[in-house]
Amino acid sequence: MVNSQDDVSTASNGAPDSLSVVSKAWNDMIDNENETLRERVAELEKKVLDYGDEVVCLRSTLADVLRRLNQLESLRSYNQNVGIKNGGVVRSQSAQAANNFNSLHKEAVRYRPVVDANNRDPVRRVLSYTPSTLPQRRAVHYQSTGSLHSDSPSSSSVSPVPTSPSPSTTPTSILKSPSTNTNLHTAKRWSSTGDFNNVPANVNTAPPSRLATKSMYNLHTRSQSFQNHHSSVPKLGMRDASYNEDDGSLRMYIRGRPVVLLAPSDVAENYNISKVAPPPQSKLKLDWVYGYRGKDCRSNLFLLPTGEIVYFVAAVAILYNVEEQSQRHYLGHTDDIKCLTIHPNKMLIATGQTAGHDAREGRPHVRIWNSVSLVTVSVIGIGEFDRSICCLSFSKSDGGTLLCAVDEANDHNISVWEWQRGDKGHKVTETKCSVDTVIACEFHPIDRNVIVTCGKSHINFWTLDAGGTLYKRQGIFEGNRDRPKYVTCLAFTQTGETLSGDSNGNVVVWQRGSNTIAKIVRNVHEGSIFTICVSKEGSIITGGGKDGRLFQFDSNLQPTGYEARIAEHLGGIRTVSEGRGSQLLVGSTRNCILIGSLSTGFSPAVLGHTDELWALCAHPTTAQFLTAGFDKIVQLWDSLSHTVVWSKDIAEQAQSACFSPDGSILIIGCVSGRWIVMDSETREPYFVHNDGVEPIQVIKFSPDGKCLALGSRDNFVYVFQVSGDYRKYSRVGRCAIERRRRKISPSLLLLLGHSSFITHLDWSGDSQYIRSNSGDYEILFWNASTCRQIPQTSQMRDVVWASNSCVLSFPTIGIWPDDADGTDVNACERSHSARLLATADDFGKVKLYAYPCSQPKSLCHTYSAHSSHVTNVAFLHDDTRLISTGGKDMSVMQWQVV
């Protein structure tokens, strides 16, 4: 009995140990199950995302197929209906093109046609893609209403085969789409959040433009009959302009100063100043946009499931298919686009713009549009934002029902919108985000109603509750050492952790559901990390804004050994996103887009300028043109292949440019007063000359090629004799007026030029005379051989001029609006056929008139794409295309004449 009692006692004493062992085993089992459950949930979340991507891809592919079918049907109808336009200039399809079209129906669609080597352009090209013979993808024709504004919300173009230039080589698919009318603003510097510039405290919006006549806020397609038959009020002529029938002179006033223009003899007798000149039969369609805005914007480069990359420059959102060499354009914005985001369905795109001139459409707002049809789905926030929208993001976990926006007000307000609710959307909430600069804003991809923002010295984690209130938790940095001056970019891992890059070159991992740091990888880059990209496989790619390097890490932020560096002249890394397969899309800080991989390297697909553009000239015999500006870069472009033939740094800010009559020599006029003579093929300089220290505003060869005229900002026109195949130049003199100062000395003879800087000049057809305009609205005529003024302007009444780039002349009277201040029109250019006249103005407009435009009441077609003042326009040698250059938007637009 004693033994049994001892056994019981021992058992009783050991019971607690058994229970603790069992409890511990159960706890371990539960922990294991929880861990397994978390892994399974994470795996299911990943599968759901993958399935969602596949569904999106299938939908986009189906949409692309439907678009191609509609395109082919439209091409068929266009070929049947196209006729003769532009006063006898044939725009119909050639027999060869018709055969090509028929072959598209009989054979499989070919993405890359075989090009005859004998027809290739002999000029060397930097980067060339073989274009496709496919017709235009959803091409859109600008619908002219005969009014001042003939704009379209979308445009598309496809590159022809880059053979030797031919006037008949033009895209042929032209469809019709809703027409929307916009007004842009004058010269305006870009405000930068990407480069951490402080936003000014007060920005006064400009008054409504006097050209604003219609509304952009039209989200529905207008009827075709309304587009074709809409009547417009003709533009009133220059106020108080008058015509003297006795001497055949017209007197107009610019800023109260009278300007007298003499009508040609064959016009003077029957001239009627009250007559209204109709617009031209020809119109413009945006064919191609050169450039990319990476200098001060980020997260603006994405690949769509259809194979197009989407980005923006100026007021245009561009969808570019690199393989097919085709572009489509969304033209709904009226001013600089500052940000872009993609809906989770990969078909809808939201873009936000800065403030402009217009009372309504010029105010900052967000436009949500369909990337397939280019139709505007919704316009939200008109009157709700200040200055501009700098960040946008669709919600991810709920299928994109919400849109988050951050504006550039003093407090950088953050707002959340139910963008599908009503025509204008519904603002769920709005609150102050940060008094400092906000750089990025992203919805969390997994956690519902969680938003992360970052910027100067902060990263914030926001939660949107069921009542529509935003709660903020600021990210906690461990000490002053880890607190960066800027948190520059955001990304999310596949498990839901937040990644941030900063100005110290560090990558920080933030715990999911927390505002604390889980891990820091220090000194990844030299200088700021401008972008982090998480691939579908889970690898992490970082891009440096200073060192121009790309580094790849695995999902645990361990280096994989793969890295790359882009060429120094292309700038730093601004943004990185996934391309097709293993390809990456890279946007640089010098406005370039590159495509490649870490293993094979990167090649530029889009090149652009990085500062204000003024110099523009078309090649006299081929479909090429040249641009140059204040970034000291000269670039020769091919308008058919849409590529850069060559690019050269001249170490001088360029103001003007001109080709020799045979196109072999190129002359660049610089801001410093120098002008450079270089070979247009080899880019080798032959001659550098100085004429003063003021900018060379305009350069032109005489029609016979024996003389060269340069208009300088020092008020003089310089004339040079040309010899040696345009390689030798000897000064004839400078155009001046002889004036004697009798009060000082009767024998003292002064040679004076214009009383202000030279703006434009033209040569006569016989190369004997020059006419010039100046900044104070003078029109003077000169004898080119003696460089002396011809004071009797009546002698020049019937002179035939080889060009008409002078904005003040009798054939250009109608380009001036009421109350013009003399700087509204920056440039004008007459087509080589002398049927059209194009102008570039301070309101961001490109206008097309019938030539001559000698009636004060002259109607025109007006086109919007630039977001800054348009600095120059030029017709190509065969008049099939028009080129325009922007000022602060740094873009080059190519327009097709249709």
Side-chain angles (χ1 to χ4, degrees):
M1 293 294 294
V2 174
N3 294 337
S4 61
Q5 290 179 353
D6 293 339
D7 293 340
V8 172
S9 176
T10 304
S12 300
N13 293 333
D17 294 336
S18 300
L19 290 175
S20 62
V21 170
V22 172
S23 176
K24 183 178 180 181
W26 274 103
N27 289 335
D28 292 341
M29 187 185 307
I30 292 173
D31 290 340
N32 291 333
E33 289 295 329
N34 288 338
E35 183 65 25
T36 303
L37 180 62
R38 281 193 293 268
E39 292 177 355
R40 292 178 63 188
V41 169
E43 184 178 356
L44 287 175
E45 288 178 342
K46 184 178 179 181
K47 287 183 178 180
V48 169
L49 292 176
D50 292 339
Y51 290 151
D53 291 341
E54 291 179 4
V55 171
V56 167
C57 185
L58 290 174
R59 290 176 58 190
S60 299
T61 303
L62 178 60
D64 191 45
V65 170
L66 293 175
R67 181 175 58 192
R68 290 173 183 269
L69 291 175
N70 291 334
Q71 168 191 350
L72 292 175
E73 291 299 327
S74 301
L75 181 60
R76 182 198 299 273
S77 61
Y78 173 76
N79 288 336
Q80 294 174 353
N81 298 329
V82 70
I84 298 178
K85 296 183 178 181
N86 195 21
V89 178
V90 177
R91 293 284 183 259
S92 60
Q93 188 81 346
S94 65
Q96 180 63 36
N99 293 334
N100 291 339
F101 170 72
N102 293 331
S103 66
L104 284 175
H105 291 272
K106 296 177 181 178
E107 302 175 3
V109 177
R110 293 176 298 174
Y111 283 85
R112 296 197 178 190
V114 178
V115 181
D116 186 2
N118 297 326
N119 292 330
R120 290 185 179 272
D121 195 332
V123 181
R124 292 180 297 138
R125 287 174 171 76
V126 176
L127 178 65
S128 178
Y129 297 94
T130 305
S132 171
T133 54
L134 284 173
Q136 294 181 356
R137 294 164 57 94
R138 194 70 178 177
V140 177
H141 176 56
Y142 276 83
Q143 291 300 312
S144 170
T145 61
S147 66
L148 293 180
H149 301 277
S150 303
D151 305 324
S152 170
S154 61
S155 169
S156 68
S157 64
V158 69
S159 174
V161 179
T163 58
S164 57
S166 172
S168 63
T169 309
T170 58
T172 59
S173 176
I174 302 175
L175 305 181
K176 298 182 179 180
S177 76
S179 177
T180 324
N181 298 286
T182 65
N183 275 300
L184 303 185
H185 67 292
T186 56
K188 172 181 62 61
R189 294 189 179 273
W190 288 4
S191 60
S192 170
T193 59
D195 294 331
F196 321 132
N197 295 331
N198 293 327
V199 179
N202 295 310
V203 177
N204 297 324
T205 57
S209 169
R210 60 179 174 274
L211 298 179
T213 59
K214 300 177 184 173
S215 173
M216 283 286 299
Y217 198 62
N218 181 5
L219 305 183
H220 302 286
T221 303
R222 299 183 183 180
S223 65
Q224 193 66 37
S225 60
F226 177 82
Q227 292 182 9
N228 292 337
H229 303 290
H230 175 61
S231 61
S232 62
V233 179
K235 181 183 72 173
L236 298 178
M238 290 73 64
R239 187 168 297 172
D240 301 326
S242 60
Y243 180 69
N244 189 333
E245 296 181 357
D246 295 335
D247 58 1
S249 64
L250 185 142
R251 179 185 295 267
M252 57 181 282
Y253 296 86
I254 298 181
R255 302 188 77 175
R257 179 167 181 169
V259 178
V260 179
L261 302 169
L262 296 180
S265 300
D266 57 346
V267 176
E269 294 183 2
N270 300 319
Y271 184 76
N272 183 0
I273 193 174
S274 62
K275 181 180 178 181
V276 178
Q281 294 182 2
S282 297
K283 304 176 183 69
L284 299 179
K285 182 180 74 71
L286 188 58
D287 182 34
W288 204 266
V289 178
Y290 302 91
Y292 158 74
R293 184 165 179 171
K295 184 177 181 180
D296 62 347
C297 292
R298 62 187 68 243
S299 298
N300 59 354
L301 179 63
F302 300 95
L303 176 70
L304 299 178
T306 54
E308 296 170 308
I309 59 176
V310 58
Y311 57 97
F312 60 77
V313 67
V316 184
I318 304 162
L319 296 94
Y320 176 30
N321 191 308
V322 178
E323 291 185 358
E324 298 180 12
Q325 277 294 284
S326 64
Q327 276 190 0
R328 297 187 298 134
H329 312 106
Y330 177 73
L331 301 173
H333 285 280
T334 61
D335 216 283
D336 284 309
I337 301 176
K338 293 293 294 293
C339 53
L340 180 150
T341 189
I342 306 296
H343 193 273
N345 65 14
K346 304 296 183 181
M347 296 180 68
L348 295 178
I349 298 174
T351 45
Q353 75 165 56
T354 187
H357 267 294
D358 295 342
R360 180 176 176 82
E361 292 78 18
R363 288 183 288 181
H365 62 272
V366 178
R367 306 185 76 87
I368 302 169
W369 46 280
N370 190 302
S371 63
V372 176
S373 63
L374 300 181
V375 172
T376 302
V377 176
S378 179
V379 177
I380 65 174
I382 292 183
E384 300 286 344
F385 299 110
D386 290 336
R387 299 175 187 165
S388 68
I389 296 96
C390 59
C391 303
L392 286 173
S393 178
F394 280 107
S395 56
K396 311 296 191 304
S397 60
D398 59 358
T401 58
L402 299 178
L403 177 68
C404 179
V406 180
D407 63 20
E408 292 187 332
N410 293 335
D411 294 320
H412 292 87
N413 299 320
I414 180 173
S415 57
V416 178
W417 298 76
E418 291 179 341
W419 62 271
Q420 299 178 84
R421 185 173 168 183
D423 294 337
K424 303 178 182 179
H426 170 69
K427 183 163 63 175
V428 177
T429 185
E430 181 177 14
T431 188
K432 297 177 181 179
C433 184
S434 173
V435 295
D436 295 318
T437 301
V438 177
I439 294 174
C441 167
E442 293 290 342
F443 266 98
H444 197 282
I446 301 175
D447 295 340
R448 189 180 180 89
N449 295 339
V450 174
I451 305 171
V452 185
T453 62
C454 68
K456 184 177 181 180
S457 302
H458 76 273
I459 179 171
N460 294 329
F461 299 86
W462 303 81
T463 302
L464 180 67
D465 66 6
T469 303
L470 279 171
Y471 294 95
K472 179 176 70 173
R473 291 180 299 166
Q474 190 165 4
I476 300 174
F477 292 94
E478 300 174 356
N480 293 329
R481 179 194 173 193
D482 295 329
R483 179 175 292 276
K485 186 176 181 181
Y486 283 92
V487 180
T488 52
C489 56
L490 294 173
F492 300 93
T493 65
Q494 293 185 342
T495 55
E497 287 87 5
T498 302
L499 301 176
S500 67
D502 58 39
S503 54
N504 295 333
N506 302 332
V507 176
V508 180
V509 182
W510 300 86
Q511 292 182 1
R512 181 177 174 180
S514 173
N515 61 338
T516 57
I517 296 175
K519 184 178 182 180
I520 299 180
V521 181
R522 303 183 187 277
N523 302 320
V524 176
H525 288 271
E526 179 185 353
S528 299
I529 299 175
F530 276 172
T531 182
I532 298 176
C533 174
V534 179
S535 67
K536 293 179 181 179
E537 292 75 20
S539 62
I540 300 169
I541 299 99
T542 62
K546 181 179 179 181
D547 56 16
R549 291 182 177 274
L550 293 164
F551 293 106
Q552 186 185 59
F553 301 85
D554 61 18
S555 58
N556 296 319
L557 281 175
Q558 297 298 318
T560 63
Y562 287 99
E563 62 177 81
R565 182 173 185 174
I566 66 173
E568 185 176 355
H569 69 275
L570 297 176
I573 308 296
R574 176 62 76 187
T575 186
V576 175
S577 62
E578 283 192 283
R580 282 188 169 181
S582 61
Q583 286 186 336
L584 294 175
L585 307 176
V586 177
S588 80
T589 57
R590 292 187 64 82
N591 296 342
C592 301
I593 296 177
L594 302 95
I595 299 178
S597 65
L598 296 175
S599 57
T600 61
F602 294 87
S603 300
V606 175
L607 296 176
H609 285 275
T610 58
D611 209 338
E612 192 165 351
L613 291 173
W614 283 95
L616 170 67
C617 60
H619 196 282
T621 58
T622 65
Q624 297 177 349
F625 62 93
L626 181 135
T627 59
F630 293 168
D631 59 358
K632 305 177 183 179
I633 302 297
V634 178
Q635 294 192 133
L636 182 66
W637 307 81
D638 188 281
S639 65
L640 299 182
S641 63
H642 308 129
T643 57
V644 175
V645 180
W646 55 255
S647 180
K648 183 177 179 63
D649 188 343
I650 61 173
E652 293 272 0
Q653 290 185 330
Q655 183 73 38
S656 56
C658 179
F659 278 104
S660 62
D662 63 356
S664 62
I665 295 298
L666 177 66
I667 299 182
I668 306 295
C670 303
V671 174
S672 62
R674 295 180 181 177
W675 49 283
I676 304 169
V677 181
M678 66 172 62
D679 190 290
S680 62
E681 293 282 347
T682 65
R683 293 162 282 169
E684 294 299 323
Y686 289 111
F687 180 76
V688 178
H689 195 278
N690 254 59
D691 278 300
V693 295
E694 296 291 334
I696 304 298
Q697 299 278 98
V698 58
I699 303 174
K700 280 198 174 182
F701 277 93
S702 61
D704 60 10
K706 296 180 179 179
C707 290
L708 177 72
L710 294 84
S712 173
R713 201 170 178 86
D714 65 4
N715 305 354
F716 286 101
V717 175
Y718 298 88
V719 180
F720 291 82
Q721 187 174 4
V722 182
S723 61
D725 294 332
Y726 307 107
R727 288 169 173 78
K728 295 182 179 180
Y729 299 83
S730 56
R731 183 193 280 191
V732 175
R734 62 180 184 179
C735 296
I737 306 171
E738 296 183 358
R739 296 178 182 174
R740 297 184 182 276
R741 304 301 296 268
R742 298 185 183 277
K743 292 183 179 180
I744 302 176
S745 172
S747 61
L748 181 60
L749 183 65
L750 295 180
L751 297 179
L752 302 176
H754 275 276
S755 53
S756 185
F757 57 91
I758 309 300
T759 58
H760 310 86
L761 64 82
D762 291 307
W763 280 91
S764 63
D766 57 9
S767 303
Q768 295 184 15
Y769 306 107
I770 299 172
R771 70 176 172 190
S772 55
N773 291 167
S774 64
D776 60 351
Y777 328 124
E778 274 189 331
I779 310 166
L780 298 181
F781 299 90
W782 312 92
N783 187 310
S785 59
T786 62
C787 295
R788 292 295 179 264
Q789 183 197 16
I790 301 174
Q792 297 82 15
T793 56
S794 58
Q795 299 179 7
M796 312 301 295
R797 181 192 298 268
D798 297 323
V799 171
V800 177
W801 299 97
S803 62
N804 201 147
S805 59
C806 284
V807 295
L808 290 174
S809 64
F810 190 83
T812 59
I813 291 171
I815 68 175
W816 292 97
D818 293 334
D819 303 323
D821 66 356
T823 62
D824 292 336
V825 182
N826 296 315
C828 72
E829 186 71 17
R830 185 187 72 191
S831 65
H832 298 85
S833 65
R835 298 178 184 275
L836 301 173
L837 181 71
T839 65
D841 64 30
D842 268 352
F843 304 100
K845 304 294 186 183
V846 174
K847 296 180 180 179
L848 190 67
Y849 295 85
Y851 186 87
C853 185
S854 55
Q855 298 295 140
K857 299 177 184 179
S858 295
L859 300 180
C860 66
H861 303 304
T862 302
Y863 302 94
S864 301
H866 290 282
S867 60
S868 179
H869 53 296
V870 187
T871 57
N872 215 336
V873 287
F875 285 95
L876 295 188
H877 73 291
D878 55 2
D879 290 341
T880 58
R881 291 172 177 82
L882 176 77
I883 309 298
S884 62
T885 56
K888 292 301 178 182
D889 64 26
M890 298 173 279
S891 64
V892 180
M893 308 285 183
Q894 179 174 305
W895 308 82
Q896 184 183 356
V897 181
V898 294

